């Protein structure tokens, strides 16, 4: 089965505020994404692919309410906190944070952990305290993964190396896997590989041979499914589908020029191109 993820980041911000939301007003944004993609995704069998959409927290309730009966759309949060509630324990004193049990109660069945933007944020906070330790970031992410699994959430755990780290990619990715997965329920985890060094305007995308090399490495180390987290797009869908070690992909933007942003019809076209190429 292929795993196809959609990370909507902060795409709920209107253009006049610097965002890229041209899809719907704020109050109906999350619900509109579900309604605009749900029927198109019903064309694929549950054994062929799963479709998980990671939304900003404010839109999860509306998105969950918009799901039809036996919907193929699964919802996920963009991360969870490293602690959680427990009967007879902490009742929820986590102001500003997002406990996994709260995410589950909002209708989510999955979460995204370790995305390069989250890693950068955690590293920046540690740097303010005078700490420069990639291992500390991995340990914090491990706590989040264990909380998510304990709450019954599936996890897309992202790993990746920066340009500075690329010469020692095996060491960097190996540590992210070893520390991040320690003590976690591996049956709930899929690995997302983000070649951070190749993501962004003006950068050369990672090639097929490099992606395949990393996917093989991850599978040898973990035995887990691996998806491409560097951006599944219309122009790379056939290439990614041709890599046996890749089990899906993470979609963010669907349009990278002109009125950039996320457009449901373009999302469904990417899904079609990828799954047809996999057959």
């Amino acid at each position: 089965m292929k795993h196809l993820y959609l990370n909507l980041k902060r795409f709920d911000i209107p253009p006049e505020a610097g965002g890229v939301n041209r899809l719907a007003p704020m109050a109906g944004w999350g619900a509109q994404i579900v309604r605009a993609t749900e029927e198109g995704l019903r064309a694929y069998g549950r054994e062929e692919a799963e479709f998980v959409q990671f939304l900003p927290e404010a839109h999860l309730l509306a998105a969950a309410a918009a799901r039809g009966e036996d919907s193929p759309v699964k919802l996920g949060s963009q991360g969870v906190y490293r602690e959680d509630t427990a009967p007879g324990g902490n009742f929820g004193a986590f102001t500003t944070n997002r406990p996994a049990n709260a995410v589950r109660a909002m209708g989510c069945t999955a979460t995204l952990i370790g995305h390069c933007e989250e890693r950068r944020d955690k590293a920046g906070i540690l740097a303010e305290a005078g700490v420069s330790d990639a291992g500390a970031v991995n340990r914090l992410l491990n706590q989040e993964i264990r909380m998510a699994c304990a709450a019954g959430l599936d996890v897309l755990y992202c790993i990746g190396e920066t340009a500075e780290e690329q010469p020692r990619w095996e060491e960097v990715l190996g540590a992210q896997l070893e520390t991040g997965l320690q003590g976690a329920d591996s049956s709930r985890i899929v690995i997302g590989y983000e070649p951070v060094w190749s993501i962004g305007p003006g950068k050369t995308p990672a090639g097929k041979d490099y992606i395949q090399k990393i996917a093989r490495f991850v599978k040898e180390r973990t035995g887990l499914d691996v998806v491409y987290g560097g951006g599944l797009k219309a122009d790379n869908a056939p290439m990614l589908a041709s890599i046996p070690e890749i089990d899906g992909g993470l979609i963010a933007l669907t349009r990278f020029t002109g009125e950039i942003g996320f457009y449901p019809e373009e999302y469904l076209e990417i899904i079609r191109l990828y799954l047809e190429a996999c057959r």
Side-chain angles (χ1 to χ4, degrees), residues 93-228:
F94 305 119
T95 301
T96 79
N97 293 304
R98 186 190 305 114
N101 281 330
V103 167
R104 183 76 180 180
M106 284 189 283
C108 291
T109 58
T111 190
L112 175 66
I113 293 175
H115 189 281
C116 62
E117 295 166 8
E118 182 188 9
R119 287 182 180 274
R120 184 169 64 245
D121 175 62
K122 283 181 165 52
I125 293 171
L126 289 168
E128 287 295 318
V131 176
S132 178
D133 179 10
V137 174
N138 293 330
R139 291 191 294 273
L140 290 170
L141 295 173
N142 172 254
Q143 293 173 40
E144 295 176 359
I145 291 172
R146 288 188 285 109
M147 288 298 102
C149 292
L153 298 171
D154 293 330
V155 175
L156 176 60
Y157 176 47
C158 293
I159 64 169
E161 76 280 31
T162 65
E164 294 74 21
E165 295 169 331
Q166 194 179 11
R168 51 189 185 91
W169 65 267
E170 189 168 355
E171 173 192 345
V172 170
L173 300 184
Q176 291 175 1
L177 291 169
E178 181 178 2
T179 303
L181 298 176
Q182 189 171 9
D185 180 358
S186 61
S187 69
R188 291 191 169 275
I189 301 170
V190 171
I191 304 299
Y193 170 59
E194 295 181 284
V196 184
W197 54 270
S198 76
I199 300 173
K203 296 183 179 180
T204 302
K208 176 179 178 178
D209 290 346
Y210 193 89
I211 296 169
Q212 185 169 34
K213 175 181 72 173
I214 301 298
R216 284 176 176 169
F217 169 79
V218 174
K219 284 181 177 286
E220 288 171 0
R221 285 290 183 98
T222 68
L224 299 177
D225 284 356
V226 182
V227 304
Y228 182 64

Side-chain angles (χ1 to χ4, degrees), residues 84-91 101:
D84 208 349
T85 57
N90 194 316
F91 58 86
N101 281 330

Side-chain angles (χ1 to χ4, degrees), residues 16-130:
E16 58 268 24
V20 295
N21 172 31
R22 300 176 180 88
L23 184 62
M26 289 302 104
W29 183 79
Q32 177 61 20
I33 289 168
V34 171
R35 295 190 186 106
T37 60
E38 187 176 59
E39 288 307 311
L41 297 177
R42 290 187 188 277
Y44 306 100
R46 301 300 172 89
E47 72 288 344
E48 182 176 13
E50 66 167 353
F51 307 98
V52 183
Q53 300 181 358
F54 301 114
L55 276 74
E57 183 174 339
H59 299 281
L60 288 173
L61 290 175
R67 294 171 70 245
E69 185 176 353
D70 195 31
S71 175
V73 175
K74 298 180 180 180
L75 296 178
S77 69
Q78 296 174 331
V80 297
Y81 188 48
R82 64 181 181 274
E83 299 179 35
D84 208 349
T85 57
N90 194 316
F91 58 86
F94 305 119
T95 301
T96 79
N97 293 304
R98 186 190 305 114
N101 281 330
V103 167
R104 183 76 180 180
M106 284 189 283
C108 291
T109 58
T111 190
L112 175 66
I113 293 175
H115 189 281
C116 62
E117 295 166 8
E118 182 188 9
R119 287 182 180 274
R120 184 169 64 245
D121 175 62
K122 283 181 165 52
I125 293 171
L126 289 168
E128 287 295 318

